[in-house]
Amino acid sequence: MSKKFSRRTFAKIAGSASLASVVELPALATPPASQTRTATQSSPARQFPRGFIWGTATASYQVEGAVKEDGRGPSIWDTFSHTPGKVVNNATGDIANDHYHLYKGDVQLMKALGVKAYRFSIAWPRVFPNGDGPANPKGLDFYNRLVDELLANGIQPFATLYHWDLPQSLQDRFGGWEGRDTSKAFGDYAGYVASHLTDRVKHIFTINEFGAFIEVGYRRGVHAPGLKLTGLRLNQTRHHGVLGHGLAVQALRANAKRGTKIGIAENITVAAPVFETSAHIAAAEQATREMNAQYLTVIQEGKYTDWYLKSAGADAPKFTAEDLKIISSPLDFVGINIYTTQFVRADESSPTGFAQVPHPKSFPHAPSPWLFVTPDAIYWGPRHVAKLWCAKEIYITENGCSSSDEPAQDGRVYDTDRVTYLRSYLTQLRRATAEGVPVRGYFLWSLMDNFEWADGYTNRFGLHYVDYASQKRTPKLSADFYREVIARNALV
Ligand code: GBH
């Protein structure tokens, strides 16, 4: 791999990418790609690898609604969103995008974009209303219908088993991920899903973003279940999260049909070098390893880093050698959700060799205040994963941004900020693929505006504008942009 990252390649690619970005925006109603292609647009400097998988993503609680239908049990997000003061405007996912009923139309939106794959999540409490115990086949049937509809339209289903809607019963009985029994129940649920869906679903992600649901839900109390754990209790919860992932990988292997590929979707903390000298780059690699010690690093390496264990001291999680083996069960691919980055610099005075460089107040960000616009996150993220852990197959499982998204007089949303964001990030992603970083696909977050967790419906991330009163979906300018990217398999 290192040979492919020569300085000359860097210079060549960086140079041509910036030149090539000077092309005019296609008009809204565009003729077929073949008629509009210019020499610049078809130049290799804009192309993604052949067979690159373009997709979009959503998650169950954010879009489905129908929270009481067909035997679904309550999740911690039902409880949390119904607790006054937890979500902006006390919004809930009771109806959300009503995707549970409108999924056929939503599949048509995807088809119109030309996406090859759809990443959705399965609501655990639909399948096991209490988290464990008897299954609810009627709940699973929704995913049977969805998967069949996707395949009938030529779209590959990529399913996530856990995107934060933990069955409330597991929270009540075991303290959710604080309890090892939840990890075990997750493994059993994964096995059940594998035996019912993997005849058609060939890619499965275990868990979406430890770095969010544990850090924001169990440490900061801003997401469900709204806890503020510290010390050993927090570290043990983190450990149970990765253990649940490992048990799920094993259960999937035992129950899935041949050819099913298994991975994860983690919002890895990406350390980017303040600039590209070998010292800062080495510091950024090291920082990425340490800053993900409790999650992706232990999953990939089968051990917690010395630095993490040392700094946790008496609060270090309790675990066995067997736990570590389970946690590091081999994966077929690594999925990473990429939004933003943490800058670091080399620092010889620090025992880890790096220092974090906080974003100055003036650093540009999307309406979501955490979403600093740092396109090279999507270059360094996969590059670090490939370099640190020799990952052979990487997916960008989420990338996107919020925007104020106000419909214009003609009813359309001209989200030039989102288009600019996406083009900048995709330019950096192309830099990675051109250097041989094995990124196989990209899932844009999100197909449509949806329930943005504690922000309720105030922050919109969609390619389609959703009018929640009528459930009407309208493609934004960014949807046109993405359709063109997909049609050409290249930057536009
Ligand atoms: C992803 O998280 C999620 O997977 C997806 O469900 C979500 O809709 C999407 O991003 C857009 O946010 O409000 O200061 O407490 C991205 C990582 C982790 C970023 C939680 C926001 C909360 C910050 N997210 N974090 S704060």
Side-chain angles (χ1 to χ4, degrees):
M1 177 85 43
S2 62
K3 234 196 278 162
K4 293 198 173 129
F5 296 145
S6 77
R7 197 163 292 198
R8 195 131 60 84
T9 324
F10 266 13
K12 215 171 79 192
I13 291 158
S16 46
S18 56
L19 261 186
S21 60
V22 193
V23 255
E24 62 194 50
L25 250 183
L28 270 188
T30 36
S34 55
Q35 290 172 26
T36 57
R37 190 172 294 141
T38 65
T40 322
Q41 282 173 335
S42 60
S43 85
R46 308 182 68 81
Q47 288 287 321
F48 281 84
R50 197 184 291 250
F52 194 77
I53 297 177
W54 297 101
T56 55
T58 65
S60 47
Y61 191 72
Q62 294 181 273
V63 298
E64 285 178 0
V67 290
K68 294 199 171 137
E69 231 151 302
D70 296 329
R72 176 187 179 277
S75 82
I76 57 173
W77 268 97
D78 296 289
T79 310
F80 191 76
S81 65
H82 279 271
T83 309
K86 298 296 186 192
V87 174
V88 174
N89 298 331
N90 291 324
T92 73
D94 287 2
I95 299 172
N97 298 38
D98 201 20
H99 179 67
Y100 194 79
H101 299 111
L102 303 178
Y103 68 96
K104 285 192 178 175
D106 293 337
V107 170
Q108 290 311 307
L109 300 179
M110 294 180 226
K111 198 173 179 185
L113 288 172
V115 297
K116 314 271 184 292
Y118 176 46
R119 174 175 174 243
F120 59 94
S121 82
I122 296 174
W124 185 352
R126 286 198 195 281
V127 184
F128 288 94
N130 291 316
D132 55 10
N136 173 40
K138 267 185 125 178
L140 184 79
D141 265 350
F142 169 64
Y143 303 103
N144 277 317
R145 293 194 292 278
L146 175 64
V147 164
D148 290 344
E149 187 69 16
L150 288 165
L151 290 173
N153 285 279
I155 300 168
Q156 288 298 317
F158 281 57
T160 308
L161 297 177
Y162 185 73
H163 202 126
W164 312 352
D165 40 4
L166 185 78
Q168 180 64 42
S169 171
L170 297 176
Q171 192 65 42
D172 297 341
R173 286 180 290 144
F174 309 133
W177 293 101
E178 261 204 85
R180 209 179 158 97
D181 288 325
T182 292
S183 320
K184 213 187 137 288
F186 183 62
D188 295 343
Y189 153 64
Y192 181 86
V193 171
S195 50
H196 288 82
L197 288 182
T198 55
D199 56 333
R200 288 153 294 152
V201 178
K202 295 302 175 196
H203 292 83
I204 300 208
F205 310 96
T206 55
I207 284 184
N208 183 71
E209 299 193 349
F210 298 107
F213 80 87
I214 293 183
E215 300 308 315
V216 190
Y218 285 81
R219 176 169 66 85
R220 295 183 41 216
V222 172
H223 282 183
L227 299 177
K228 291 188 177 162
L229 303 182
T230 56
L232 176 58
R233 275 178 75 184
L234 176 62
N235 284 329
Q236 203 61 41
T237 304
R238 290 165 167 158
H239 180 72
H240 291 153
V242 287
L243 180 66
H245 154 83
L247 289 168
V249 175
Q250 296 195 338
L252 289 164
R253 294 265 182 245
N255 293 283
K257 295 264 183 309
R258 265 198 143 156
T260 308
K261 289 194 169 187
I262 301 167
I264 192 162
E266 175 60 353
N267 61 326
I268 179 177
T269 299
V270 177
V274 279
F275 38 84
E276 298 184 6
T277 59
S278 49
H280 291 312
I281 292 173
E285 276 167 19
Q286 177 60 8
T288 299
R289 186 171 171 265
E290 290 298 351
M291 294 194 302
N292 296 283
Q294 300 128 335
Y295 303 130
L296 203 52
T297 304
V298 68
I299 288 171
Q300 296 293 326
E301 299 183 12
K303 63 188 185 63
Y304 288 113
T305 68
D306 296 341
W307 180 249
Y308 167 53
L309 292 178
K310 203 171 143 205
S311 21
D315 289 337
K318 311 274 176 257
F319 58 87
T320 64
E322 178 62 16
D323 284 0
L324 294 181
K325 239 174 98 187
I326 296 169
I327 290 166
S328 58
S329 304
L331 296 177
D332 300 305
F333 61 86
V334 180
I336 47 179
N337 295 355
I338 301 282
Y339 289 91
T340 193
T341 195
Q342 169 66 58
F343 288 107
V344 301
R345 60 181 171 83
D347 181 1
E348 277 170 22
S349 70
S350 142
T352 50
F354 68 88
Q356 300 192 16
V357 181
H359 297 290
K361 265 211 193 93
S362 57
F363 204 106
H365 61 77
S368 311
W370 53 271
L371 213 175
F372 294 100
V373 180
T374 54
D376 41 356
I378 207 167
Y379 169 73
W380 290 108
R383 180 175 148 163
H384 290 326
V385 168
K387 181 93 188 293
L388 284 168
W389 301 306
C390 299
K392 299 279 181 294
E393 203 168 318
I394 298 172
Y395 285 92
I396 305 300
T397 31
E398 285 181 27
N399 171 242
C401 72
S402 47
S403 157
S404 51
D405 285 342
E406 282 145 26
Q409 291 255 300
D410 64 0
R412 299 279 327 257
V413 172
Y414 295 92
D415 52 343
T416 48
D417 51 353
R418 181 173 287 107
V419 171
T420 302
Y421 172 102
L422 293 172
R423 187 191 300 104
S424 317
Y425 276 64
L426 289 178
T427 300
Q428 290 295 321
L429 180 61
R430 212 208 63 87
R431 179 184 172 201
T433 57
E435 287 175 19
V437 180
V439 181
R440 303 288 180 238
Y442 168 94
F443 292 85
L444 202 155
W445 185 273
S446 177
L447 171 66
M448 53 187 168
D449 300 335
N450 56 49
F451 178 77
E452 177 55 12
W453 308 112
D455 292 341
Y457 295 97
T458 56
N459 267 326
R460 294 172 178 270
F461 276 78
L463 291 172
H464 294 87
Y465 184 86
V466 176
D467 171 31
Y468 292 101
S470 64
Q471 289 297 350
K472 186 164 181 256
R473 287 88 155 111
T474 309
K476 302 176 191 174
L477 182 66
S478 54
D480 297 338
F481 164 80
Y482 197 41
R483 196 179 58 238
E484 294 293 338
V485 168
I486 296 171
R488 294 177 168 84
N489 198 34
L491 292 161
V492 294

